Amino acid sequence: MTTITTTAPAVDNFHRNATTSDRRPTDGAAERHKDSQLLGRLTGLFFLITYATSIPPVLTLYVPALSDPAFVLGGPFNAGVTWGVILELLLIAANIASALTLYPVLRRRFPVLSLGFVTARVMESAFIAIGIISVLALVTLRATAGDADPAALAVVGQALVAVHDWTFKMGPGVVVGVGNGLILGYMMWKTRLLPRFLSILGLIGGPALLLGSCGVLFGHFEFGSTIHSLSVAPEFFWELLLGIWLLVRGFNPAAFAALDTDQS
């Protein structure tokens, strides 16, 4: 009787300890899942911010500076261009933030490719920054034109506009096709963190954008032409739907659990 009485609590303690230790990995996995879903929704938010900050400068705010050859010859302060610069600075921040929020999740399966995506996002932002500097240089020339030779000013202004145009063609054109299209699309396809149709759109959008950009580089058609616009469309909708889906739904829970299993 003494033996039974003294060993029963030990058995109970053993089972309690085993239950507690069995629960700990589950609790840790749930916590990681919660954190990663937060990262996914932040990624979606940052992708949508890139849309909100990139479109107004191109369509309206930069138009006076980039389309009017006389802009550089002098005139009143143009607040629209300044607001365009501010929006593009926010665009750079959102670009890099979207890569940093995805990196902790994707590196579990793709330690090299996930870093490649971050690098591509940084390179895209570098091209955008060069474009911003060219626009600010135009604003400076306009403000200090004074009695400078109008012909010389016009030539310098055209050169700055050309620099801005090519930064747009190379950054959001070529680099985005590789980073956001091919690399990100492939990682999402393999991990199934997003629905298959979205990943396919990315795998189509990347090569299409690259082909369109190469067509412009080799002079086969003009930037902004119908053919070029068609080549941009799949990538445009891939990134837009990616942002909406991640913000609203987050990652596929089963696919994320599989990432945890692979890592363990």
Side-chain angles (χ1 to χ4, degrees):
M1 292 296 292
T2 304
T3 304
I4 295 174
T5 303
T6 55
T7 56
V11 173
D12 289 342
N13 287 335
F14 172 80
H15 284 298
R16 279 198 298 270
N17 291 338
T19 305
T20 303
S21 66
D22 288 344
R23 261 200 316 265
R24 282 172 188 161
T26 304
D27 294 343
E31 190 66 27
R32 288 194 299 273
H33 174 74
K34 181 180 177 181
D35 292 343
S36 293
Q37 288 292 24
L38 174 61
L39 290 175
R41 287 186 164 85
L42 284 174
T43 301
L45 175 62
F46 290 137
F47 264 97
L48 294 179
I49 289 175
T50 64
Y51 275 80
T53 54
S54 64
I55 294 175
V58 174
L59 294 184
T60 59
L61 299 175
Y62 282 169
V63 171
L66 300 178
S67 63
D68 184 7
F71 179 86
V72 73
L73 301 181
F77 176 75
N78 191 306
V81 176
T82 302
W83 280 112
V85 168
I86 292 173
L87 286 177
E88 287 209 302
L89 290 173
L90 293 175
L91 167 62
I92 290 174
N95 270 347
I96 298 175
S98 67
L100 294 179
T101 50
L102 270 179
Y103 177 71
V105 177
L106 294 176
R107 72 175 177 179
R108 301 177 184 182
R109 177 76 180 275
F110 300 103
V112 176
L113 275 182
S114 59
L115 187 60
F117 173 65
V118 174
T119 304
R121 214 61 166 144
V122 171
M123 286 303 302
E124 176 195 352
S125 299
F127 278 110
I128 294 171
I130 295 172
I132 291 174
I133 292 172
S134 66
V135 171
L136 289 175
L138 273 174
V139 172
T140 300
L141 286 177
R142 174 183 172 89
T144 59
D147 297 329
D149 181 14
L153 279 176
V155 170
V156 175
Q158 289 173 1
L160 291 172
V161 170
V163 169
H164 175 274
D165 290 348
W166 277 108
T167 58
F168 189 85
K169 294 171 185 176
M170 297 301 295
V174 175
V175 178
V176 165
V178 176
N180 295 4
L182 287 173
I183 295 178
L184 184 57
Y186 175 77
M187 290 191 292
M188 290 300 182
W189 168 268
K190 295 295 288 184
T191 58
R192 300 185 180 225
L193 291 170
L194 294 176
R196 285 294 198 173
F197 78 92
L198 279 180
S199 303
I200 292 173
L201 192 56
L203 291 172
I204 294 173
L209 182 59
L210 287 173
L211 287 174
S213 298
C214 287
V216 172
L217 285 170
F218 286 99
H220 294 305
F221 44 81
E222 293 293 326
F223 184 86
S225 63
T226 302
I227 298 177
H228 179 258
S229 298
L230 289 174
S231 72
V232 172
E235 181 70 27
F236 178 89
F237 287 110
W238 150 241
E239 294 185 33
L240 178 61
L241 294 175
L242 167 71
I244 294 173
W245 185 276
L246 285 178
L247 181 62
V248 176
R249 301 288 298 273
F251 295 123
N252 181 348
F256 179 79
L259 281 182
D260 253 358
T261 303
D262 292 343
Q263 192 181 32
S264 62

